[in-house]
CSV table of all heavy atoms in Angstrom, one decimal:
chain,number,residue,atom,x,y,z
B,24,TRP,N,-0.5,14.9,4.0
B,24,TRP,CA,-1.1,14.7,2.7
B,24,TRP,C,-2.6,14.3,2.8
B,24,TRP,O,-3.4,14.9,2.2
B,24,TRP,CB,-0.4,13.5,2.0
B,24,TRP,CG,0.6,14.0,1.0
B,24,TRP,CD1,2.0,13.8,1.1
B,24,TRP,CD2,0.4,14.7,-0.2
B,24,TRP,NE1,2.6,14.4,0.0
B,24,TRP,CE2,1.7,14.9,-0.8
B,24,TRP,CE3,-0.7,15.2,-0.9
B,24,TRP,CZ2,1.8,15.6,-2.0
B,24,TRP,CZ3,-0.5,15.9,-2.1
B,24,TRP,CH2,0.7,16.1,-2.6
B,39,TRP,N,-7.4,24.2,-3.1
B,39,TRP,CA,-6.2,24.5,-3.9
B,39,TRP,C,-6.6,24.5,-5.3
B,39,TRP,O,-7.2,23.5,-5.8
B,39,TRP,CB,-5.1,23.5,-3.6
B,39,TRP,CG,-3.8,24.0,-4.1
B,39,TRP,CD1,-3.2,23.5,-5.2
B,39,TRP,CD2,-2.9,24.9,-3.5
B,39,TRP,NE1,-2.0,24.1,-5.4
B,39,TRP,CE2,-1.8,25.0,-4.3
B,39,TRP,CE3,-2.9,25.7,-2.3
B,39,TRP,CZ2,-0.7,25.9,-4.1
B,39,TRP,CZ3,-1.9,26.5,-2.1
B,39,TRP,CH2,-0.8,26.6,-2.9
B,41,TYR,N,-5.0,24.1,-8.1
B,41,TYR,CA,-4.2,23.4,-9.1
B,41,TYR,C,-4.3,21.9,-8.9
B,41,TYR,O,-5.0,21.4,-8.0
B,41,TYR,CB,-2.8,23.9,-9.1
B,41,TYR,CG,-2.8,25.4,-9.1
B,41,TYR,CD1,-2.2,26.2,-8.1
B,41,TYR,CD2,-3.4,26.1,-10.1
B,41,TYR,CE1,-2.2,27.6,-8.1
B,41,TYR,CE2,-3.4,27.5,-10.1
B,41,TYR,CZ,-2.8,28.2,-9.1
B,41,TYR,OH,-2.8,29.6,-9.1
B,42,ASP,N,-3.5,21.1,-9.7
B,42,ASP,CA,-3.7,19.7,-9.7
B,42,ASP,C,-3.2,19.0,-8.4
B,42,ASP,O,-3.6,17.9,-8.1
B,42,ASP,CB,-2.8,19.1,-10.8
B,42,ASP,CG,-3.4,19.5,-12.2
B,42,ASP,OD1,-4.5,19.0,-12.6
B,42,ASP,OD2,-2.8,20.4,-12.8
B,43,VAL,N,-2.3,19.7,-7.7
B,43,VAL,CA,-1.7,19.1,-6.4
B,43,VAL,C,-1.6,20.3,-5.4
B,43,VAL,O,-1.1,21.3,-5.8
B,43,VAL,CB,-0.3,18.5,-6.7
B,43,VAL,CG1,0.2,17.8,-5.5
B,43,VAL,CG2,-0.3,17.6,-7.9
B,44,PRO,N,-2.0,20.0,-4.1
B,44,PRO,CA,-1.8,21.1,-3.2
B,44,PRO,C,-0.3,21.3,-2.8
B,44,PRO,O,0.5,20.4,-3.0
B,44,PRO,CB,-2.6,20.6,-1.9
B,44,PRO,CG,-2.6,19.1,-2.1
B,44,PRO,CD,-2.6,18.8,-3.6
B,45,PHE,N,0.0,22.4,-2.2
B,45,PHE,CA,1.4,22.7,-1.8
B,45,PHE,C,1.7,22.0,-0.5
B,45,PHE,O,1.1,22.4,0.5
B,45,PHE,CB,1.7,24.2,-1.7
B,45,PHE,CG,3.1,24.5,-1.2
B,45,PHE,CD1,4.2,23.9,-1.7
B,45,PHE,CD2,3.2,25.3,-0.1
B,45,PHE,CE1,5.5,24.2,-1.2
B,45,PHE,CE2,4.5,25.6,0.5
B,45,PHE,CZ,5.6,25.0,-0.1
B,46,VAL,N,2.6,21.0,-0.5
B,46,VAL,CA,3.1,20.4,0.7
B,46,VAL,C,4.6,20.3,0.4
B,46,VAL,O,5.0,19.6,-0.5
B,46,VAL,CB,2.5,19.0,0.9
B,46,VAL,CG1,3.1,18.4,2.2
B,46,VAL,CG2,1.0,19.0,1.0
B,47,PRO,N,5.5,21.0,1.2
B,47,PRO,CA,6.9,20.9,0.9
B,47,PRO,C,7.5,19.6,1.3
B,47,PRO,O,7.1,19.0,2.3
B,47,PRO,CB,7.5,22.1,1.7
B,47,PRO,CG,6.5,22.3,2.8
B,47,PRO,CD,5.1,21.9,2.3
B,48,SER,N,8.5,19.2,0.5
B,48,SER,CA,9.3,18.0,0.9
B,48,SER,C,10.2,18.3,2.0
B,48,SER,O,10.9,19.3,1.9
B,48,SER,CB,10.1,17.5,-0.3
B,48,SER,OG,9.3,17.1,-1.4
B,70,ASP,N,12.1,20.9,-11.8
B,70,ASP,CA,11.2,20.5,-10.7
B,70,ASP,C,9.8,20.9,-11.2
B,70,ASP,O,9.5,22.0,-11.4
B,70,ASP,CB,11.6,21.2,-9.4
B,70,ASP,CG,10.8,20.7,-8.3
B,70,ASP,OD1,10.3,19.6,-8.3
B,70,ASP,OD2,10.7,21.5,-7.2
B,71,LEU,N,9.0,19.8,-11.3
B,71,LEU,CA,7.6,20.1,-11.8
B,71,LEU,C,6.7,20.2,-10.6
B,71,LEU,O,6.5,19.3,-9.8
B,71,LEU,CB,7.2,18.9,-12.6
B,71,LEU,CG,7.9,18.7,-13.9
B,71,LEU,CD1,7.5,17.5,-14.7
B,71,LEU,CD2,7.8,20.0,-14.8
B,72,GLY,N,6.2,21.5,-10.4
B,72,GLY,CA,5.4,21.8,-9.2
B,72,GLY,C,6.4,22.1,-8.1
B,72,GLY,O,6.6,21.4,-7.2
B,73,SER,N,7.1,23.3,-8.3
B,73,SER,CA,8.3,23.5,-7.5
B,73,SER,C,8.1,24.1,-6.1
B,73,SER,O,9.0,24.3,-5.4
B,73,SER,CB,9.3,24.4,-8.3
B,73,SER,OG,8.6,25.6,-8.8
B,74,GLY,N,6.8,24.5,-5.8
B,74,GLY,CA,6.5,24.9,-4.5
B,74,GLY,C,7.3,26.1,-4.1
B,74,GLY,O,7.4,27.1,-4.8
B,75,ASP,N,8.0,26.0,-2.9
B,75,ASP,CA,8.9,27.2,-2.5
B,75,ASP,C,10.3,27.1,-3.0
B,75,ASP,O,11.2,27.8,-2.6
B,75,ASP,CB,8.9,27.3,-0.9
B,75,ASP,CG,9.5,26.0,-0.3
B,75,ASP,OD1,10.0,25.2,-1.0
B,75,ASP,OD2,9.4,26.0,1.0
B,77,ARG,N,12.6,24.6,-3.0
B,77,ARG,CA,13.6,24.0,-2.2
B,77,ARG,C,14.4,22.9,-2.9
B,77,ARG,O,15.6,22.7,-2.7
B,77,ARG,CB,13.1,23.4,-0.9
B,77,ARG,CG,12.0,22.4,-1.0
B,77,ARG,CD,11.4,22.0,0.3
B,77,ARG,NE,10.8,23.1,1.1
B,77,ARG,CZ,10.7,23.0,2.4
B,77,ARG,NH1,11.1,22.0,3.1
B,77,ARG,NH2,10.1,24.0,3.0
B,78,ILE,N,13.8,22.2,-3.8
B,78,ILE,CA,14.5,21.1,-4.5
B,78,ILE,C,15.5,21.7,-5.4
B,78,ILE,O,16.7,21.3,-5.4
B,78,ILE,CB,13.5,20.1,-5.3
B,78,ILE,CG1,12.6,19.4,-4.3
B,78,ILE,CG2,14.3,19.2,-6.2
B,78,ILE,CD1,11.6,18.4,-4.9
B,93,VAL,N,8.9,25.0,-12.1
B,93,VAL,CA,7.6,25.6,-12.6
B,93,VAL,C,6.5,25.3,-11.6
B,93,VAL,O,6.5,24.2,-11.0
B,93,VAL,CB,7.2,25.0,-14.0
B,93,VAL,CG1,8.3,25.3,-15.0
B,93,VAL,CG2,6.9,23.5,-13.9
B,94,ASP,N,5.7,26.3,-11.4
B,94,ASP,CA,4.6,26.2,-10.5
B,94,ASP,C,3.5,27.1,-11.0
B,94,ASP,O,3.8,28.2,-11.6
B,94,ASP,CB,5.0,26.5,-9.0
B,94,ASP,CG,4.0,25.8,-8.0
B,94,ASP,OD1,2.8,26.2,-7.9
B,94,ASP,OD2,4.5,24.9,-7.3
B,95,LEU,N,2.2,26.8,-10.7
B,95,LEU,CA,1.2,27.7,-11.1
B,95,LEU,C,0.9,28.8,-10.1
B,95,LEU,O,0.2,29.8,-10.4
B,95,LEU,CB,-0.1,26.9,-11.5
B,95,LEU,CG,-0.1,26.3,-12.9
B,95,LEU,CD1,-1.3,25.3,-13.0
B,95,LEU,CD2,0.0,27.3,-14.0
B,96,ASP,N,1.3,28.6,-8.9
B,96,ASP,CA,1.0,29.6,-7.8
B,96,ASP,C,2.0,30.7,-7.8
B,96,ASP,O,3.2,30.6,-7.5
B,96,ASP,CB,1.0,28.8,-6.5
B,96,ASP,CG,0.5,29.7,-5.4
B,96,ASP,OD1,-0.7,29.7,-5.2
B,96,ASP,OD2,1.3,30.4,-4.8
B,99,LEU,N,4.0,31.4,-4.6
B,99,LEU,CA,5.1,30.4,-4.4
B,99,LEU,C,6.3,30.7,-5.4
B,99,LEU,O,7.5,30.5,-5.0
B,99,LEU,CB,4.6,29.0,-4.7
B,99,LEU,CG,3.8,28.4,-3.6
B,99,LEU,CD1,3.1,27.1,-4.0
B,99,LEU,CD2,4.6,28.2,-2.3
B,121,GLN,N,4.0,28.5,-14.6
B,121,GLN,CA,3.7,27.7,-15.8
B,121,GLN,C,3.1,26.4,-15.4
B,121,GLN,O,3.4,25.8,-14.4
B,121,GLN,CB,5.0,27.4,-16.6
B,121,GLN,CG,4.9,26.8,-17.9
B,121,GLN,CD,6.3,26.8,-18.6
B,121,GLN,OE1,6.7,27.9,-19.1
B,121,GLN,NE2,6.9,25.7,-18.6
B,122,ASP,N,2.2,25.9,-16.3
B,122,ASP,CA,1.5,24.6,-16.0
B,122,ASP,C,2.6,23.5,-16.3
B,122,ASP,O,3.2,23.5,-17.4
B,122,ASP,CB,0.4,24.4,-17.0
B,122,ASP,CG,-0.5,23.2,-16.7
B,122,ASP,OD1,0.1,22.2,-16.0
B,122,ASP,OD2,-1.6,23.1,-17.2
B,123,LEU,N,2.7,22.6,-15.4
B,123,LEU,CA,3.8,21.5,-15.6
B,123,LEU,C,3.5,20.7,-16.8
B,123,LEU,O,4.4,20.1,-17.4
B,123,LEU,CB,3.9,20.7,-14.3
B,123,LEU,CG,2.7,19.9,-13.8
B,123,LEU,CD1,2.7,18.5,-14.4
B,123,LEU,CD2,2.8,19.8,-12.3
B,124,PHE,N,2.2,20.5,-17.2
B,124,PHE,CA,1.8,19.7,-18.3
B,124,PHE,C,2.2,20.4,-19.7
B,124,PHE,O,2.2,19.8,-20.7
B,124,PHE,CB,0.3,19.4,-18.3
B,124,PHE,CG,0.0,18.4,-17.3
B,124,PHE,CD1,-0.7,18.8,-16.1
B,124,PHE,CD2,0.4,17.1,-17.4
B,124,PHE,CE1,-1.0,17.9,-15.1
B,124,PHE,CE2,0.1,16.1,-16.4
B,124,PHE,CZ,-0.6,16.6,-15.2
B,137,TYR,N,7.1,15.8,-6.8
B,137,TYR,CA,6.3,15.5,-5.6
B,137,TYR,C,4.9,15.9,-5.9
B,137,TYR,O,4.5,17.0,-5.6
B,137,TYR,CB,6.9,16.2,-4.4
B,137,TYR,CG,6.2,15.8,-3.1
B,137,TYR,CD1,5.6,14.6,-2.9
B,137,TYR,CD2,6.2,16.7,-2.0
B,137,TYR,CE1,5.0,14.2,-1.7
B,137,TYR,CE2,5.6,16.4,-0.8
B,137,TYR,CZ,5.0,15.1,-0.6
B,137,TYR,OH,4.4,14.8,0.5
B,138,LEU,N,4.2,15.0,-6.6
B,138,LEU,CA,2.9,15.2,-7.1
B,138,LEU,C,1.9,14.2,-6.5
B,138,LEU,O,2.2,13.7,-5.4
B,138,LEU,CB,2.9,15.3,-8.6
B,138,LEU,CG,3.9,16.3,-9.2
B,138,LEU,CD1,4.1,16.1,-10.7
B,138,LEU,CD2,3.4,17.8,-8.9
H,327,LIG,C1,3.4,18.8,-3.2
H,327,LIG,S1,3.9,20.3,-3.8
H,327,LIG,C2,5.6,20.0,-4.1
H,327,LIG,C3,6.5,21.2,-3.9
H,327,LIG,C4,8.0,20.9,-4.1
H,327,LIG,N1,8.3,20.3,-5.4
H,327,LIG,C5,8.6,20.1,-3.0
H,327,LIG,O1,8.7,18.9,-3.2
H,327,LIG,O2,8.8,20.6,-1.9
H,327,LIG,C6,3.2,20.4,-5.4
H,327,LIG,C7,3.3,21.7,-6.1
H,327,LIG,O3,2.8,21.6,-7.4
H,327,LIG,C8,2.1,22.8,-7.8
H,327,LIG,N2,1.2,22.4,-8.9
H,327,LIG,C9,0.0,21.8,-8.8
H,327,LIG,N3,-0.5,21.6,-10.1
H,327,LIG,C10,0.4,22.2,-10.9
H,327,LIG,C11,0.4,22.4,-12.3
H,327,LIG,N4,-0.6,21.9,-13.1
H,327,LIG,N5,1.5,23.0,-12.9
H,327,LIG,C12,2.5,23.5,-12.1
H,327,LIG,N6,2.5,23.4,-10.8
H,327,LIG,C13,1.5,22.7,-10.2
H,327,LIG,C14,1.4,23.2,-6.5
H,327,LIG,O4,1.2,24.6,-6.6
H,327,LIG,C15,2.5,22.8,-5.4
H,327,LIG,O5,3.3,23.9,-5.2
Side-chain angles (χ1 to χ4, degrees):
W24 261 114
W39 192 260
Y41 311 122
D42 296 287
V43 187
F45 172 54
V46 180
S48 296
D70 186 20
L71 295 177
S73 49
D75 62 6
R77 60 183 61 202
I78 294 182
V93 300
D94 206 292
L95 279 173
D96 187 89
L99 285 171
Q121 188 170 282
D122 187 342
L123 62 90
F124 289 108
Y137 183 27
L138 302 168

